[in-house]
Amino acid sequence: MKDKSPSGDTITFLGTAGARVMVAKQILASGGLWLNLSGTEILLDPGPGCIVQSTKRKLSADKLSAIILSHRHLDHSADANIMVEAMTQGGFKRHGWLFAPADCLETEPVIFSYLKSYLEGVEVLQEGKSYSVGNISFSTPVRHIHPVETYGMFFTTAEHTFSYIADSRYFDGLCHSYGGELLIINVVRLEANHPYDHLSLPDAKRIITELNPKVAILTHFGMTMWRAKPWEVAQGLSQETGVRVLAARDGMRFDLSQLDSN
Ligand SMILES: [Zn+2]
C-alpha cells in the first residue's frame, strides 16, 4: 500500500460483521478498520481474522503507528495480541502505541502482559479526552451505553474530519458528540425496540439526519441487517435523508478525497 504523497486519507474495511453469529460463522469478515491518514497508519478494532484480512490485502502491520480498541468485546479485540506482535515485528522492534479503555487493561486484560513491553506505550481512553498519533489527532467525546466501557472516535487529519460511532444503545447525547465530513456507524440491527445495547437502522437514520455528513458508511452488520441487504438499505437511507449513504463491503477501501468534490 505505497502512498506516494504523505497526504491523503483512506479507510479499508477488513470486515463488516457485527453480531455474534455473523462473526462466529464468518458470514462476513470481522477484521476491523485500517486507517491510512495523512501518512499515519492506524488499526481500529482488530476483531477475529484481522491478521488474515490485513496480510491478504498486503497491509503491513509494521507500518502501523497505533492500534485503537473501542471496547473489549471479542469482535473488536480478538486479534489485538497478534496485531501488536506484528506491529512490533515479533517484538524485535519496540514500536507503536495501544489505545484502549481502562477495562481492556485491568482485571482480565485483552492484551498479554509480556506484549506490553514491545510497545512504545499504552494510553487509556477516557471520556472527553484527545490524543495524537503521528500526523493526526482523535478524541473520545462520550462514553457509550454498552455492556463494557466503550468509546467512539472523532478523527482530525491534515485534510479531513470523520467520526466512528462504535457499538452503543441510542441516547440523546450521542449525536451531539460527533460530527465531521464522514460518519462511519455500526448498525447491528434492522429493527428498533430491541433489548440490546446496539444501534438499529431507525437509530442510524436519526443520527445521519441530525449530523448531516457529506457521506455516511454503515458497517458492523448483524443477521437482520445482512438479510435486508445492506446496500439496498443504504440506498433507501440516501433517499430518505438526502445524505449519500453507503454500505461497507469486506475489503472496501474508501478514499476520503471523495468528500472533496463540492
Ligand atoms: Zn460490543
Side-chain angles (χ1 to χ4, degrees):
M1 195 103 337
K2 288 254 163 57
D3 199 352
K4 277 172 221 110
S5 69
S7 61
D9 299 316
T10 61
I11 298 172
T12 303
F13 291 81
L14 298 176
T16 56
R20 276 165 284 183
V21 176
M22 296 296 287
V23 174
K25 293 186 183 291
Q26 288 289 293
I27 295 167
L28 293 167
S30 51
L33 305 178
W34 193 290
L35 315 177
N36 191 336
L37 307 173
S38 309
T40 299
E41 298 187 40
I42 296 171
L43 176 61
L44 183 50
D45 282 350
C50 181
I51 186 71
V52 176
Q53 297 297 331
S54 56
T55 50
K56 192 164 95 176
R57 296 177 203 291
K58 309 263 185 294
L59 296 163
S60 302
D62 54 8
K63 294 212 183 100
L64 289 169
S65 297
I67 297 172
I68 306 175
L69 309 182
S70 66
H71 65 297
R72 60 175 293 132
H73 281 156
L74 260 187
D75 51 335
H76 297 256
S77 71
D79 271 15
N81 285 299
I82 183 61
M83 294 313 293
V84 166
E85 193 155 281
M87 176 167 74
T88 59
Q89 298 178 34
F92 290 108
K93 189 165 172 259
R94 193 158 182 246
H95 167 70
W97 289 78
L98 175 75
F99 296 85
D103 75 348
C104 290
L105 305 162
E106 287 165 352
T107 31
E108 191 184 40
V110 300
I111 293 283
F112 296 136
S113 53
Y114 77 91
L115 290 173
K116 279 198 205 166
S117 62
Y118 297 177
L119 293 161
E120 282 173 79
V122 177
E123 281 227 44
V124 176
L125 297 178
Q126 288 177 287
E127 184 173 65
K129 289 273 175 78
S130 296
Y131 308 86
S132 65
V133 187
N135 301 324
I136 68 110
S137 61
F138 72 95
S139 61
T140 43
V142 69
R143 183 172 173 164
H144 287 195
I145 301 177
H146 203 54
V148 297
E149 190 179 356
T150 304
Y151 301 100
M153 287 115 214
F154 176 70
F155 288 90
T156 306
T157 79
E159 292 167 281
H160 301 107
T161 53
F162 69 96
S163 290
Y164 166 61
I165 301 188
D167 300 1
S168 185
R169 175 182 288 270
Y170 183 85
F171 60 98
D172 284 339
L174 194 62
C175 282
H176 308 298
S177 304
Y178 295 99
E181 301 159 275
L182 169 68
L183 176 65
I184 299 167
I185 183 163
N186 286 358
V187 188
V188 173
R189 309 272 310 177
L190 187 67
E191 310 281 350
N193 303 322
H194 52 79
Y196 308 108
D197 288 335
H198 274 296
L199 294 170
S200 66
L201 185 61
D203 297 329
K205 184 181 168 186
R206 200 152 136 192
I207 293 166
I208 291 167
T209 305
E210 178 96 5
L211 293 180
N212 194 32
K214 289 183 182 167
V215 174
I217 303 178
L218 315 179
T219 187
H220 212 57
F221 306 122
M223 190 63 85
T224 53
M225 276 294 290
W226 180 237
R227 287 202 181 118
K229 302 189 175 74
W231 52 97
E232 288 181 8
V233 169
Q235 206 171 25
L237 263 190
S238 296
Q239 280 159 5
E240 287 166 27
T241 61
V243 171
R244 185 175 165 225
V245 182
L246 306 173
R249 298 272 199 162
D250 286 351
M252 179 174 102
R253 181 141 74 115
F254 183 81
D255 190 328
L256 276 71
S257 64
Q258 287 188 48
L259 304 166
D260 302 338
S261 46
N262 74 50

PDB file of all heavy atoms in Angstrom, residues 185-216:
ATOM      1  N   ILE A 185     -20.711   4.266  10.933  1.00  0.00           N
ATOM      2  CA  ILE A 185     -21.621   3.943  12.030  1.00  0.00           C
ATOM      3  C   ILE A 185     -21.912   2.440  12.079  1.00  0.00           C
ATOM      4  O   ILE A 185     -22.200   1.816  11.059  1.00  0.00           O
ATOM      5  CB  ILE A 185     -22.905   4.816  11.895  1.00  0.00           C
ATOM      6  CG1 ILE A 185     -23.868   4.592  13.026  1.00  0.00           C
ATOM      7  CG2 ILE A 185     -23.592   4.635  10.570  1.00  0.00           C
ATOM      8  CD1 ILE A 185     -24.893   5.693  13.140  1.00  0.00           C
ATOM      9  N   ASN A 186     -21.771   1.872  13.271  1.00  0.00           N
ATOM     10  CA  ASN A 186     -22.010   0.443  13.467  1.00  0.00           C
ATOM     11  C   ASN A 186     -23.505   0.192  13.657  1.00  0.00           C
ATOM     12  O   ASN A 186     -24.073   0.562  14.686  1.00  0.00           O
ATOM     13  CB  ASN A 186     -21.243  -0.052  14.705  1.00  0.00           C
ATOM     14  CG  ASN A 186     -19.748  -0.165  14.458  1.00  0.00           C
ATOM     15  OD1 ASN A 186     -19.280   0.085  13.353  1.00  0.00           O
ATOM     16  ND2 ASN A 186     -19.003  -0.547  15.467  1.00  0.00           N
ATOM     17  N   VAL A 187     -24.120  -0.406  12.656  1.00  0.00           N
ATOM     18  CA  VAL A 187     -25.571  -0.638  12.686  1.00  0.00           C
ATOM     19  C   VAL A 187     -25.818  -2.146  12.706  1.00  0.00           C
ATOM     20  O   VAL A 187     -25.782  -2.807  11.674  1.00  0.00           O
ATOM     21  CB  VAL A 187     -26.256  -0.024  11.445  1.00  0.00           C
ATOM     22  CG1 VAL A 187     -27.766  -0.088  11.594  1.00  0.00           C
ATOM     23  CG2 VAL A 187     -25.822   1.409  11.245  1.00  0.00           C
ATOM     24  N   VAL A 188     -26.056  -2.663  13.895  1.00  0.00           N
ATOM     25  CA  VAL A 188     -26.176  -4.115  14.044  1.00  0.00           C
ATOM     26  C   VAL A 188     -27.574  -4.611  13.673  1.00  0.00           C
ATOM     27  O   VAL A 188     -27.730  -5.640  13.021  1.00  0.00           O
ATOM     28  CB  VAL A 188     -25.806  -4.532  15.491  1.00  0.00           C
ATOM     29  CG1 VAL A 188     -26.088  -6.002  15.740  1.00  0.00           C
ATOM     30  CG2 VAL A 188     -24.333  -4.233  15.760  1.00  0.00           C
ATOM     31  N   ARG A 189     -28.593  -3.852  14.084  1.00  0.00           N
ATOM     32  CA  ARG A 189     -29.969  -4.368  14.000  1.00  0.00           C
ATOM     33  C   ARG A 189     -30.805  -3.602  12.975  1.00  0.00           C
ATOM     34  O   ARG A 189     -30.651  -2.391  12.810  1.00  0.00           O
ATOM     35  CB  ARG A 189     -30.652  -4.214  15.363  1.00  0.00           C
ATOM     36  CG  ARG A 189     -29.879  -4.752  16.537  1.00  0.00           C
ATOM     37  CD  ARG A 189     -30.120  -6.186  16.809  1.00  0.00           C
ATOM     38  NE  ARG A 189     -31.535  -6.499  16.880  1.00  0.00           N
ATOM     39  CZ  ARG A 189     -32.018  -7.732  17.057  1.00  0.00           C
ATOM     40  NH1 ARG A 189     -31.202  -8.735  17.208  1.00  0.00           N
ATOM     41  NH2 ARG A 189     -33.301  -7.933  17.100  1.00  0.00           N
ATOM     42  N   LEU A 190     -31.705  -4.332  12.352  1.00  0.00           N
ATOM     43  CA  LEU A 190     -32.614  -3.703  11.385  1.00  0.00           C
ATOM     44  C   LEU A 190     -33.763  -2.983  12.087  1.00  0.00           C
ATOM     45  O   LEU A 190     -34.167  -1.890  11.708  1.00  0.00           O
ATOM     46  CB  LEU A 190     -33.163  -4.780  10.438  1.00  0.00           C
ATOM     47  CG  LEU A 190     -34.001  -4.289   9.267  1.00  0.00           C
ATOM     48  CD1 LEU A 190     -33.156  -3.498   8.281  1.00  0.00           C
ATOM     49  CD2 LEU A 190     -34.650  -5.475   8.547  1.00  0.00           C
ATOM     50  N   GLU A 191     -34.290  -3.648  13.127  1.00  0.00           N
ATOM     51  CA  GLU A 191     -35.490  -3.124  13.796  1.00  0.00           C
ATOM     52  C   GLU A 191     -35.141  -2.381  15.086  1.00  0.00           C
ATOM     53  O   GLU A 191     -34.196  -2.741  15.770  1.00  0.00           O
ATOM     54  CB  GLU A 191     -36.427  -4.277  14.193  1.00  0.00           C
ATOM     55  CG  GLU A 191     -36.729  -5.261  13.073  1.00  0.00           C
ATOM     56  CD  GLU A 191     -37.775  -4.743  12.110  1.00  0.00           C
ATOM     57  OE1 GLU A 191     -38.401  -3.712  12.426  1.00  0.00           O
ATOM     58  OE2 GLU A 191     -37.939  -5.368  11.047  1.00  0.00           O
ATOM     59  N   ALA A 192     -35.944  -1.392  15.402  1.00  0.00           N
ATOM     60  CA  ALA A 192     -35.797  -0.699  16.691  1.00  0.00           C
ATOM     61  C   ALA A 192     -36.523  -1.505  17.776  1.00  0.00           C
ATOM     62  O   ALA A 192     -37.025  -2.583  17.510  1.00  0.00           O
ATOM     63  CB  ALA A 192     -36.383   0.693  16.587  1.00  0.00           C
ATOM     64  N   ASN A 193     -36.572  -0.959  18.979  1.00  0.00           N
ATOM     65  CA  ASN A 193     -37.298  -1.577  20.099  1.00  0.00           C
ATOM     66  C   ASN A 193     -36.811  -2.980  20.423  1.00  0.00           C
ATOM     67  O   ASN A 193     -37.579  -3.923  20.504  1.00  0.00           O
ATOM     68  CB  ASN A 193     -38.809  -1.631  19.818  1.00  0.00           C
ATOM     69  CG  ASN A 193     -39.340  -0.251  19.546  1.00  0.00           C
ATOM     70  OD1 ASN A 193     -38.912   0.706  20.174  1.00  0.00           O
ATOM     71  ND2 ASN A 193     -40.244  -0.143  18.598  1.00  0.00           N
ATOM     72  N   HIS A 194     -35.542  -3.116  20.564  1.00  0.00           N
ATOM     73  CA  HIS A 194     -34.973  -4.399  20.949  1.00  0.00           C
ATOM     74  C   HIS A 194     -34.241  -4.196  22.268  1.00  0.00           C
ATOM     75  O   HIS A 194     -33.912  -3.069  22.636  1.00  0.00           O
ATOM     76  CB  HIS A 194     -34.030  -4.898  19.867  1.00  0.00           C
ATOM     77  CG  HIS A 194     -33.015  -3.881  19.497  1.00  0.00           C
ATOM     78  ND1 HIS A 194     -31.898  -3.639  20.249  1.00  0.00           N
ATOM     79  CD2 HIS A 194     -32.960  -3.007  18.469  1.00  0.00           C
ATOM     80  CE1 HIS A 194     -31.201  -2.670  19.694  1.00  0.00           C
ATOM     81  NE2 HIS A 194     -31.819  -2.264  18.621  1.00  0.00           N
ATOM     82  N   PRO A 195     -33.952  -5.278  22.979  1.00  0.00           N
ATOM     83  CA  PRO A 195     -33.356  -5.110  24.304  1.00  0.00           C
ATOM     84  C   PRO A 195     -31.832  -4.956  24.280  1.00  0.00           C
ATOM     85  O   PRO A 195     -31.214  -4.869  25.326  1.00  0.00           O
ATOM     86  CB  PRO A 195     -33.739  -6.416  24.998  1.00  0.00           C
ATOM     87  CG  PRO A 195     -33.814  -7.422  23.910  1.00  0.00           C
ATOM     88  CD  PRO A 195     -34.247  -6.681  22.672  1.00  0.00           C
ATOM     89  N   TYR A 196     -31.214  -4.916  23.117  1.00  0.00           N
ATOM     90  CA  TYR A 196     -29.746  -4.912  23.070  1.00  0.00           C
ATOM     91  C   TYR A 196     -29.182  -3.496  23.069  1.00  0.00           C
ATOM     92  O   TYR A 196     -29.824  -2.566  22.601  1.00  0.00           O
ATOM     93  CB  TYR A 196     -29.256  -5.651  21.816  1.00  0.00           C
ATOM     94  CG  TYR A 196     -29.852  -7.012  21.673  1.00  0.00           C
ATOM     95  CD1 TYR A 196     -30.804  -7.277  20.704  1.00  0.00           C
ATOM     96  CD2 TYR A 196     -29.472  -8.046  22.534  1.00  0.00           C
ATOM     97  CE1 TYR A 196     -31.363  -8.535  20.580  1.00  0.00           C
ATOM     98  CE2 TYR A 196     -30.030  -9.311  22.423  1.00  0.00           C
ATOM     99  CZ  TYR A 196     -30.980  -9.547  21.444  1.00  0.00           C
ATOM    100  OH  TYR A 196     -31.537 -10.781  21.327  1.00  0.00           O
ATOM    101  N   ASP A 197     -27.947  -3.385  23.556  1.00  0.00           N
ATOM    102  CA  ASP A 197     -27.269  -2.090  23.550  1.00  0.00           C
ATOM    103  C   ASP A 197     -26.531  -1.888  22.229  1.00  0.00           C
ATOM    104  O   ASP A 197     -25.302  -1.781  22.183  1.00  0.00           O
ATOM    105  CB  ASP A 197     -26.296  -2.000  24.730  1.00  0.00           C
ATOM    106  CG  ASP A 197     -27.034  -1.855  26.054  1.00  0.00           C
ATOM    107  OD1 ASP A 197     -28.175  -1.357  26.038  1.00  0.00           O
ATOM    108  OD2 ASP A 197     -26.470  -2.236  27.086  1.00  0.00           O
ATOM    109  N   HIS A 198     -27.313  -1.888  21.149  1.00  0.00           N
ATOM    110  CA  HIS A 198     -26.759  -1.703  19.812  1.00  0.00           C
ATOM    111  C   HIS A 198     -27.636  -0.746  19.033  1.00  0.00           C
ATOM    112  O   HIS A 198     -28.830  -0.630  19.294  1.00  0.00           O
ATOM    113  CB  HIS A 198     -26.715  -3.047  19.063  1.00  0.00           C
ATOM    114  CG  HIS A 198     -25.478  -3.833  19.339  1.00  0.00           C
ATOM    115  ND1 HIS A 198     -24.230  -3.405  18.988  1.00  0.00           N
ATOM    116  CD2 HIS A 198     -25.311  -5.045  19.927  1.00  0.00           C
ATOM    117  CE1 HIS A 198     -23.332  -4.308  19.353  1.00  0.00           C
ATOM    118  NE2 HIS A 198     -23.958  -5.308  19.936  1.00  0.00           N
ATOM    119  N   LEU A 199     -27.037  -0.100  18.035  1.00  0.00           N
ATOM    120  CA  LEU A 199     -27.819   0.797  17.195  1.00  0.00           C
ATOM    121  C   LEU A 199     -28.599   0.004  16.163  1.00  0.00           C
ATOM    122  O   LEU A 199     -28.140  -1.018  15.662  1.00  0.00           O
ATOM    123  CB  LEU A 199     -26.890   1.794  16.493  1.00  0.00           C
ATOM    124  CG  LEU A 199     -26.184   2.779  17.432  1.00  0.00           C
ATOM    125  CD1 LEU A 199     -25.111   3.550  16.682  1.00  0.00           C
ATOM    126  CD2 LEU A 199     -27.189   3.733  18.078  1.00  0.00           C
ATOM    127  N   SER A 200     -29.785   0.497  15.860  1.00  0.00           N
ATOM    128  CA  SER A 200     -30.629  -0.103  14.835  1.00  0.00           C
ATOM    129  C   SER A 200     -30.690   0.845  13.643  1.00  0.00           C
ATOM    130  O   SER A 200     -30.204   1.973  13.697  1.00  0.00           O
ATOM    131  CB  SER A 200     -32.040  -0.323  15.392  1.00  0.00           C
ATOM    132  OG  SER A 200     -32.624   0.945  15.662  1.00  0.00           O
ATOM    133  N   LEU A 201     -31.334   0.372  12.596  1.00  0.00           N
ATOM    134  CA  LEU A 201     -31.461   1.205  11.398  1.00  0.00           C
ATOM    135  C   LEU A 201     -32.223   2.519  11.676  1.00  0.00           C
ATOM    136  O   LEU A 201     -31.767   3.583  11.242  1.00  0.00           O
ATOM    137  CB  LEU A 201     -32.127   0.390  10.282  1.00  0.00           C
ATOM    138  CG  LEU A 201     -32.206   1.092   8.943  1.00  0.00           C
ATOM    139  CD1 LEU A 201     -30.827   1.423   8.407  1.00  0.00           C
ATOM    140  CD2 LEU A 201     -32.969   0.228   7.947  1.00  0.00           C
ATOM    141  N   PRO A 202     -33.348   2.488  12.398  1.00  0.00           N
ATOM    142  CA  PRO A 202     -34.007   3.764  12.723  1.00  0.00           C
ATOM    143  C   PRO A 202     -33.110   4.711  13.528  1.00  0.00           C
ATOM    144  O   PRO A 202     -33.152   5.930  13.321  1.00  0.00           O
ATOM    145  CB  PRO A 202     -35.237   3.337  13.542  1.00  0.00           C
ATOM    146  CG  PRO A 202     -35.501   1.936  13.114  1.00  0.00           C
ATOM    147  CD  PRO A 202     -34.166   1.338  12.818  1.00  0.00           C
ATOM    148  N   ASP A 203     -32.273   4.153  14.410  1.00  0.00           N
ATOM    149  CA  ASP A 203     -31.310   4.996  15.142  1.00  0.00           C
ATOM    150  C   ASP A 203     -30.345   5.648  14.154  1.00  0.00           C
ATOM    151  O   ASP A 203     -30.021   6.839  14.267  1.00  0.00           O
ATOM    152  CB  ASP A 203     -30.481   4.173  16.131  1.00  0.00           C
ATOM    153  CG  ASP A 203     -31.302   3.531  17.229  1.00  0.00           C
ATOM    154  OD1 ASP A 203     -32.337   4.112  17.609  1.00  0.00           O
ATOM    155  OD2 ASP A 203     -30.920   2.438  17.706  1.00  0.00           O
ATOM    156  N   ALA A 204     -29.846   4.842  13.209  1.00  0.00           N
ATOM    157  CA  ALA A 204     -28.875   5.350  12.229  1.00  0.00           C
ATOM    158  C   ALA A 204     -29.494   6.471  11.417  1.00  0.00           C
ATOM    159  O   ALA A 204     -28.856   7.496  11.159  1.00  0.00           O
ATOM    160  CB  ALA A 204     -28.407   4.217  11.321  1.00  0.00           C
ATOM    161  N   LYS A 205     -30.750   6.292  11.045  1.00  0.00           N
ATOM    162  CA  LYS A 205     -31.430   7.323  10.255  1.00  0.00           C
ATOM    163  C   LYS A 205     -31.492   8.647  11.031  1.00  0.00           C
ATOM    164  O   LYS A 205     -31.218   9.719  10.487  1.00  0.00           O
ATOM    165  CB  LYS A 205     -32.842   6.841   9.891  1.00  0.00           C
ATOM    166  CG  LYS A 205     -33.584   7.799   8.995  1.00  0.00           C
ATOM    167  CD  LYS A 205     -34.974   7.287   8.675  1.00  0.00           C
ATOM    168  CE  LYS A 205     -35.803   8.386   8.039  1.00  0.00           C
ATOM    169  NZ  LYS A 205     -37.192   7.979   7.839  1.00  0.00           N
ATOM    170  N   ARG A 206     -31.836   8.524  12.302  1.00  0.00           N
ATOM    171  CA  ARG A 206     -31.929   9.701  13.163  1.00  0.00           C
ATOM    172  C   ARG A 206     -30.573  10.400  13.272  1.00  0.00           C
ATOM    173  O   ARG A 206     -30.466  11.619  13.168  1.00  0.00           O
ATOM    174  CB  ARG A 206     -32.369   9.194  14.544  1.00  0.00           C
ATOM    175  CG  ARG A 206     -32.962  10.184  15.456  1.00  0.00           C
ATOM    176  CD  ARG A 206     -33.920   9.385  16.356  1.00  0.00           C
ATOM    177  NE  ARG A 206     -33.809   9.757  17.737  1.00  0.00           N
ATOM    178  CZ  ARG A 206     -34.359   9.059  18.732  1.00  0.00           C
ATOM    179  NH1 ARG A 206     -34.999   7.933  18.487  1.00  0.00           N
ATOM    180  NH2 ARG A 206     -34.250   9.457  19.970  1.00  0.00           N
ATOM    181  N   ILE A 207     -29.526   9.615  13.469  1.00  0.00           N
ATOM    182  CA  ILE A 207     -28.172  10.170  13.657  1.00  0.00           C
ATOM    183  C   ILE A 207     -27.684  10.820  12.365  1.00  0.00           C
ATOM    184  O   ILE A 207     -27.127  11.919  12.380  1.00  0.00           O
ATOM    185  CB  ILE A 207     -27.201   9.046  14.118  1.00  0.00           C
ATOM    186  CG1 ILE A 207     -27.583   8.568  15.524  1.00  0.00           C
ATOM    187  CG2 ILE A 207     -25.751   9.523  14.081  1.00  0.00           C
ATOM    188  CD1 ILE A 207     -26.927   7.265  15.955  1.00  0.00           C
ATOM    189  N   ILE A 208     -27.906  10.147  11.237  1.00  0.00           N
ATOM    190  CA  ILE A 208     -27.443  10.683   9.948  1.00  0.00           C
ATOM    191  C   ILE A 208     -28.182  11.979   9.627  1.00  0.00           C
ATOM    192  O   ILE A 208     -27.588  12.963   9.186  1.00  0.00           O
ATOM    193  CB  ILE A 208     -27.624   9.631   8.822  1.00  0.00           C
ATOM    194  CG1 ILE A 208     -26.649   8.460   9.038  1.00  0.00           C
ATOM    195  CG2 ILE A 208     -27.424  10.253   7.443  1.00  0.00           C
ATOM    196  CD1 ILE A 208     -26.946   7.230   8.199  1.00  0.00           C
ATOM    197  N   THR A 209     -29.478  11.994   9.883  1.00  0.00           N
ATOM    198  CA  THR A 209     -30.266  13.200   9.632  1.00  0.00           C
ATOM    199  C   THR A 209     -29.763  14.354  10.489  1.00  0.00           C
ATOM    200  O   THR A 209     -29.568  15.469  10.009  1.00  0.00           O
ATOM    201  CB  THR A 209     -31.760  12.936   9.943  1.00  0.00           C
ATOM    202  OG1 THR A 209     -32.162  11.799   9.183  1.00  0.00           O
ATOM    203  CG2 THR A 209     -32.625  14.126   9.586  1.00  0.00           C
ATOM    204  N   GLU A 210     -29.510  14.059  11.736  1.00  0.00           N
ATOM    205  CA  GLU A 210     -29.057  15.085  12.681  1.00  0.00           C
ATOM    206  C   GLU A 210     -27.672  15.621  12.327  1.00  0.00           C
ATOM    207  O   GLU A 210     -27.434  16.826  12.340  1.00  0.00           O
ATOM    208  CB  GLU A 210     -29.045  14.475  14.092  1.00  0.00           C
ATOM    209  CG  GLU A 210     -28.548  15.379  15.180  1.00  0.00           C
ATOM    210  CD  GLU A 210     -29.683  16.091  15.916  1.00  0.00           C
ATOM    211  OE1 GLU A 210     -30.868  15.800  15.632  1.00  0.00           O
ATOM    212  OE2 GLU A 210     -29.360  16.925  16.757  1.00  0.00           O
ATOM    213  N   LEU A 211     -26.747  14.731  12.005  1.00  0.00           N
ATOM    214  CA  LEU A 211     -25.351  15.134  11.786  1.00  0.00           C
ATOM    215  C   LEU A 211     -25.098  15.622  10.368  1.00  0.00           C
ATOM    216  O   LEU A 211     -24.148  16.360  10.137  1.00  0.00           O
ATOM    217  CB  LEU A 211     -24.395  13.982  12.130  1.00  0.00           C
ATOM    218  CG  LEU A 211     -24.347  13.588  13.606  1.00  0.00           C
ATOM    219  CD1 LEU A 211     -23.363  12.451  13.816  1.00  0.00           C
ATOM    220  CD2 LEU A 211     -23.937  14.778  14.481  1.00  0.00           C
ATOM    221  N   ASN A 212     -25.913  15.161   9.430  1.00  0.00           N
ATOM    222  CA  ASN A 212     -25.828  15.606   8.041  1.00  0.00           C
ATOM    223  C   ASN A 212     -24.398  15.610   7.473  1.00  0.00           C
ATOM    224  O   ASN A 212     -23.929  16.640   6.977  1.00  0.00           O
ATOM    225  CB  ASN A 212     -26.465  17.009   7.929  1.00  0.00           C
ATOM    226  CG  ASN A 212     -26.722  17.396   6.490  1.00  0.00           C
ATOM    227  OD1 ASN A 212     -26.996  16.529   5.654  1.00  0.00           O
ATOM    228  ND2 ASN A 212     -26.597  18.667   6.173  1.00  0.00           N
ATOM    229  N   PRO A 213     -23.688  14.471   7.528  1.00  0.00           N
ATOM    230  CA  PRO A 213     -22.332  14.420   6.969  1.00  0.00           C
ATOM    231  C   PRO A 213     -22.387  14.422   5.442  1.00  0.00           C
ATOM    232  O   PRO A 213     -23.465  14.266   4.863  1.00  0.00           O
ATOM    233  CB  PRO A 213     -21.811  13.068   7.477  1.00  0.00           C
ATOM    234  CG  PRO A 213     -23.048  12.224   7.590  1.00  0.00           C
ATOM    235  CD  PRO A 213     -24.162  13.152   7.982  1.00  0.00           C
ATOM    236  N   LYS A 214     -21.223  14.609   4.802  1.00  0.00           N
ATOM    237  CA  LYS A 214     -21.201  14.509   3.339  1.00  0.00           C
ATOM    238  C   LYS A 214     -21.461  13.077   2.896  1.00  0.00           C
ATOM    239  O   LYS A 214     -22.105  12.831   1.885  1.00  0.00           O
ATOM    240  CB  LYS A 214     -19.846  14.978   2.818  1.00  0.00           C
ATOM    241  CG  LYS A 214     -19.629  16.474   2.942  1.00  0.00           C
ATOM    242  CD  LYS A 214     -18.298  16.858   2.337  1.00  0.00           C
ATOM    243  CE  LYS A 214     -18.057  18.354   2.503  1.00  0.00           C
ATOM    244  NZ  LYS A 214     -16.656  18.698   2.199  1.00  0.00           N
ATOM    245  N   VAL A 215     -20.901  12.137   3.644  1.00  0.00           N
ATOM    246  CA  VAL A 215     -21.101  10.706   3.357  1.00  0.00           C
ATOM    247  C   VAL A 215     -21.249   9.974   4.688  1.00  0.00           C
ATOM    248  O   VAL A 215     -20.577  10.309   5.667  1.00  0.00           O
ATOM    249  CB  VAL A 215     -19.889  10.108   2.580  1.00  0.00           C
ATOM    250  CG1 VAL A 215     -20.030   8.602   2.407  1.00  0.00           C
ATOM    251  CG2 VAL A 215     -19.715  10.784   1.219  1.00  0.00           C
ATOM    252  N   ALA A 216     -22.144   8.979   4.714  1.00  0.00           N
ATOM    253  CA  ALA A 216     -22.250   8.077   5.865  1.00  0.00           C
ATOM    254  C   ALA A 216     -22.016   6.655   5.381  1.00  0.00           C
ATOM    255  O   ALA A 216     -22.501   6.273   4.310  1.00  0.00           O
ATOM    256  CB  ALA A 216     -23.622   8.195   6.516  1.00  0.00           C
TER     257      ALA A 216
END
